[in-house]
């Protein structure tokens, strides 16, 4: 019996929604953010979260390089994973905006 090579649409949407929920949970665990800041999906909100993640990554990297006893490899890995996901989401939301909005913002 042949095995289907693609997931049904309902599984794809459930998978993406669970991935988004996991991302939000990870952000809440890693960064000191209020719930309204976690739910802010505007460009400014995403840029703020990316900046906070970048700052936390730098601090964790410094602790690791210094051999500090508080360095946590799991936290470093989770920060990096959240940072990459947040940058990806910011790029996809920027490309989804109409070109007039991007030009007005850049100018």
């Amino acid at each position: 019996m042949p095995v289907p090579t693609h997931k049904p649409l309902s599984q794809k949407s459930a998978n993406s929604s669970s991935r988004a929920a996991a991302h939000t949970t990870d952000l809440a665990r890693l960064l000191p953010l209020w719930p309204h800041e976690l739910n802010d999906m505007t460009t400014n909100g995403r840029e703020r979260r990316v900046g906070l993640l970048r700052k936390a990554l730098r601090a964790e990297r410094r602790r690791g390089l210094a051999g500090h006893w508080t360095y946590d490899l799991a936290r470093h890995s989770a920060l990096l994973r959240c940072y990459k996901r947040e940058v990806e989401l910011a790029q996809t939301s920027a490309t989804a905006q109409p070109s007039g909005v991007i030009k007005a913002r850049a100018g």
Side-chain angles (χ1 to χ4, degrees):
M1 204 162 163
V3 177
T5 58
H6 67 288
K7 293 181 181 178
L9 186 58
S10 60
Q11 273 187 335
K12 285 182 182 178
S13 62
N15 213 5
S16 66
S17 66
S18 67
R19 196 169 75 172
H23 177 68
T24 304
T25 304
D26 286 345
L27 279 174
R29 186 173 48 87
L30 294 168
L31 296 176
L33 294 173
W34 290 99
H36 71 274
E37 292 173 319
L38 286 170
N39 297 329
D40 186 9
M41 297 303 159
T42 63
T43 305
N44 290 336
R46 290 204 188 279
E47 287 176 359
R48 183 175 188 284
R49 282 192 300 271
V50 167
L52 288 172
L53 283 165
R54 188 177 298 129
K55 183 178 175 182
L57 266 169
R58 264 193 309 249
E60 199 65 33
R61 192 176 303 120
R62 269 195 312 265
R63 281 190 286 273
L65 290 172
H68 198 269
W69 65 274
T70 59
Y71 174 72
D72 185 6
L73 180 61
R75 175 178 166 75
H76 196 162
S77 174
L79 282 167
L80 186 60
R81 188 173 47 248
C82 280
Y83 175 77
K84 287 179 179 180
R85 173 81 171 135
E86 198 66 33
V87 167
E88 174 190 324
L89 290 171
Q91 288 174 348
T92 57
S93 68
T95 58
Q97 290 180 349
S99 61
V101 174
I102 294 171
K103 287 179 183 176
R105 182 167 156 51

